[in-house]
Amino acid sequence: MSKELMQEKITKAQKEIEAKKDMIKMGRMRQHYHFMAQTGWLNDPNGLIYYKGKYHFFFQYNPYYGFWDYMHWGHAVSGDLVHWEYLPLALAPSEEYDDHMRGGCFSGSAIEHDGKLFLMYTGTTHNGQGYEQTQCIAYSEDGIHFEKYAGNPVLTAPEGVAKEHFRDPKVWKHEDTYYMVCGASREGRAQALLYRSKDMLHWNFFNVMAESRGEWGFMWECTDFYPLGEKYVLMFSPMGSGEHTAIYQVGDFDYGTGRFYAHISGEIDWGFDYYAPQSFQAPDGRRLIVGWANEWEWMPLWKDWGPTYREGWCGFFNIPREVRMMEDGSLQFLPAAEFQTIRKNPEQADMILVSEEEKELAAGDGVSFELKFKIDLEETDARSVELSLRSGEGKRTVCLFDFKTAEFRVDRNESDGWSRGISRSVMYLKGKKELDVHIFSDQSSLEIFTDRYQNNHSNNIFASDSQNRLWIRAYGGKAVVKEYESWGLGECFA
């Protein structure tokens, strides 16, 4: 009966999607090239994997309306990471361990095992004693239709770990053993718990892989772990750690003890809207990550999260990023090269002299575009450079490169009449001759990469089509911009 009940719920959700998708596609705030669901609410990326010649994106999904509720797993595939085909939902709440209106099939990951596609996810329910989270398995012969394992749940919260804070399993294989790391909270401090298995079905606790002493909050969501070069990377999104939304740590890992030793910590993104990134390996060996363009602290505003709720949807993914390691062991996060294939209408200039008088720049239609340039620090004597994006109707988003205070700021207080906040990060300028800037603008978002892709800001804005002008100016002197390139970016959801 279990399999039939889940299929019944998937069929019901698919009818809802079919009935609403064409209307929702017409929403004014829908993205042009960022991944979205067809209807409803989307949050964490799940189960990212390259399987049988296709990239698979699974995602946290409420297909019924544009706020968080009753979590399913949506599913889409792509041959190029840019254009996507939606498949039937992979998972729906159907069992005692995952069927609750404020619960469901929470986040997890995917792996190939015995020729099948296995999903490991968190089941969340409430049986009168608070929320309970457990780790569960589903599998598929064809990579499309999934069946939940009869032995679920395969893991429950260990002693001392809060039952409502035990989630988001990320699974991988090393030699002949499967490993899984998930987030937990013990005595108010965050932990990454490590488990292992020989068959993907029977799991044993191995060790606390890593933990917070308070500096990284009380819970790590969406922990991820992978090798990069000679080192290992642990990623997590900390709850209760201020504006930090996505953290990475680089260090060494001992498969003999299951312990991770971190040497370097850094921010994946300094913006307000980058959360829960999950990694996977492309067939060419690149380590790619995809994040949710939102973050958990806004989720209590479920009933009116921004303008898109009124259009029947909410949420999208940031563009995939390639993870690379610098010589000092810190990480870069570069936009996936596949997005170069949708460039059109190029503009370029070898050098632009910027003064205190605003100068207009050209980039596509001013709404959906990519923009790259460098600020020549040796020829620039200005105190700061201000770049205004998505300007019009008295609104704009302001990027300020402040060379005096060595700070980069993105101010969206005048972006759209709704968004608020200024994201800030340090610019490390010592000994540098230039500052590189790379921007992706879409209908409802700005992703700004600077300083060799180590200083990145993702911020959602909800700007109209008439907010399509770009301006640049300098304060306290002149600035020299060189190697200016821009493109319009094509529609991927026609």
Side-chain angles (χ1 to χ4, degrees):
M1 182 62 186
S2 170
K3 184 176 181 180
E4 289 76 12
L5 181 58
M6 185 171 77
Q7 186 55 53
E8 179 182 316
K9 294 199 171 189
I10 288 175
T11 299
K12 178 183 176 183
Q14 290 296 146
K15 288 181 179 178
E16 186 83 2
I17 294 167
E18 288 299 316
K20 294 181 177 178
K21 67 179 184 179
D22 289 338
M23 177 189 68
I24 289 175
K25 187 178 3 180
M26 304 304 293
R28 294 189 308 114
M29 293 297 146
R30 295 285 283 179
Q31 297 279 61
H32 298 280
Y33 58 89
H34 283 77
F35 180 83
M36 303 172 290
Q38 292 170 288
T39 65
W41 167 280
L42 169 150
N43 57 287
D44 302 353
N46 293 161
L48 309 186
I49 190 171
Y50 187 81
Y51 176 73
K52 292 188 176 179
K54 293 282 188 180
Y55 293 100
H56 289 250
F57 277 9
F58 299 87
F59 49 93
Q60 288 288 276
Y61 188 32
N62 170 22
Y64 293 99
Y65 27 77
F67 53 88
W68 182 91
D69 199 10
Y70 206 41
M71 285 290 96
H72 299 61
W73 273 38
H75 189 193
V77 294
S78 173
D80 63 3
L81 280 177
V82 179
H83 302 88
W84 292 89
E85 173 192 354
Y86 296 102
L87 296 179
L89 274 65
L91 298 176
S94 63
E95 310 304 317
E96 183 179 356
Y97 53 80
D98 68 9
D99 194 359
H100 190 272
M101 286 303 295
R102 295 296 180 269
C105 303
F106 277 19
S107 291
S109 55
I111 193 168
E112 185 173 357
H113 170 59
D114 285 345
K116 301 176 184 177
L117 185 57
F118 273 66
L119 307 180
M120 193 170 193
Y121 72 97
T122 297
T124 300
T125 192
H126 195 307
N127 293 310
Q129 297 180 340
Y131 284 98
E132 300 178 25
Q133 297 184 335
T134 57
Q135 312 317 321
C136 307
I137 295 286
Y139 50 86
S140 171
E141 298 276 359
D142 60 7
I144 300 175
H145 303 93
F146 289 84
E147 180 177 351
K148 293 176 182 175
Y149 174 49
N152 282 340
V154 296
L155 283 172
T156 58
E159 185 176 354
V161 168
K163 291 182 179 180
E164 72 274 18
H165 289 313
F166 176 59
R167 58 182 173 270
D168 310 334
K170 177 61 188 293
V171 63
W172 73 96
K173 188 176 185 181
H174 176 72
E175 296 179 347
D176 63 348
T177 303
Y178 293 94
Y179 293 83
M180 182 274 285
V181 63
C182 67
S185 182
R186 189 191 302 267
E187 298 179 349
R189 293 186 176 182
Q191 292 185 326
L193 304 182
L194 184 63
Y195 292 81
R196 56 187 177 180
S197 169
K198 289 294 185 181
D199 62 1
M200 270 297 296
L201 298 175
H202 302 89
W203 293 85
N204 295 301
F205 176 73
F206 188 14
N207 203 350
V208 176
M209 175 187 277
E211 58 191 327
S212 170
R213 295 181 299 174
E215 75 278 27
W216 288 123
F218 66 88
M219 172 67 190
W220 289 347
E221 292 201 296
C222 300
T223 53
D224 201 331
F225 190 71
Y226 51 90
L228 197 66
E230 300 297 317
K231 299 293 183 179
Y232 286 84
V233 177
L234 175 68
M235 301 191 311
F236 53 85
S237 287
M239 300 176 74
S241 189
E243 293 181 352
H244 304 286
T245 60
I247 302 301
Y248 75 84
Q249 296 183 340
V250 178
D252 295 308
F253 179 65
D254 183 354
Y255 271 105
T257 65
R259 195 74 177 182
F260 173 68
Y261 307 86
H263 308 309
I264 294 172
S265 293
E267 306 267 354
I268 299 172
D269 196 290
W270 296 80
F272 294 115
D273 299 300
Y274 194 91
Y275 199 75
Q278 184 171 117
S279 82
F280 66 104
Q281 193 166 32
D284 60 6
R286 288 175 297 163
R287 177 62 59 168
L288 301 175
I289 63 172
V290 179
W292 170 40
N294 246 339
E295 60 108 351
W296 77 273
E297 289 178 326
W298 289 8
M299 286 182 68
L301 302 178
W302 293 328
K303 292 187 177 179
D304 190 9
W305 193 89
T308 70
Y309 163 72
R310 293 178 173 82
E311 296 181 0
W313 69 282
C314 184
F316 48 90
F317 290 167
N318 299 101
I319 61 175
R321 303 178 184 184
E322 180 186 353
V323 184
R324 294 183 186 174
M325 186 172 289
M326 301 287 283
E327 290 182 0
D328 64 359
S330 60
L331 301 184
Q332 301 174 289
F333 303 94
L334 290 75
E338 282 83 350
F339 284 83
Q340 297 176 18
T341 64
I342 59 170
R343 289 172 172 173
K344 60 182 182 179
N345 303 325
E347 300 272 354
Q348 64 180 50
D350 292 333
M351 193 273 284
I352 300 173
L353 183 63
V354 182
S355 66
E356 295 205 10
E357 182 177 348
E358 280 194 321
K359 181 184 295 287
E360 188 163 13
L361 302 175
D365 62 1
V367 175
S368 177
F369 65 83
E370 181 184 357
L371 170 63
K372 295 180 73 173
F373 62 85
K374 294 177 180 177
I375 299 174
D376 189 327
L377 298 177
E378 293 184 311
E379 297 296 326
T380 294
D381 59 16
R383 181 178 69 254
S384 60
V385 170
E386 179 184 271
L387 180 66
S388 294
L389 303 170
R390 300 301 303 278
S391 302
E393 300 180 331
K395 300 181 178 69
R396 61 179 184 160
T397 300
V398 179
C399 307
L400 188 71
F401 304 90
D402 191 326
F403 303 120
K404 184 175 182 180
T405 63
E407 187 176 62
F408 175 48
R409 301 191 287 275
V410 181
D411 185 341
R412 61 180 186 182
N413 285 317
E414 298 178 357
S415 293
D416 53 24
W418 187 87
S419 301
R420 293 288 180 270
I422 303 173
S423 59
R424 294 178 166 88
S425 61
V426 175
M427 291 193 301
Y428 188 70
L429 302 173
K430 183 179 179 180
K432 293 181 179 175
K433 297 181 180 181
E434 59 189 26
L435 178 67
D436 54 291
V437 180
H438 193 175
I439 297 171
F440 284 81
S441 172
D442 206 340
Q443 187 72 54
S444 298
S445 65
L446 290 167
E447 292 181 71
I448 303 165
F449 302 84
T450 68
D451 198 5
R452 296 183 292 176
Y453 302 95
Q454 294 192 292
N455 192 347
N456 313 314
H457 289 239
S458 295
N459 288 313
N460 296 344
I461 60 169
F462 301 97
S464 68
D465 286 341
S466 57
Q467 290 177 237
N468 62 354
R469 303 184 75 180
L470 296 77
W471 303 88
I472 192 169
R473 68 185 301 179
Y475 291 97
K478 71 177 190 307
V480 174
V481 168
K482 61 182 184 179
E483 300 177 34
Y484 180 91
E485 298 177 280
S486 69
W487 303 265
L489 293 179
E491 179 72 48
C492 295
F493 292 94

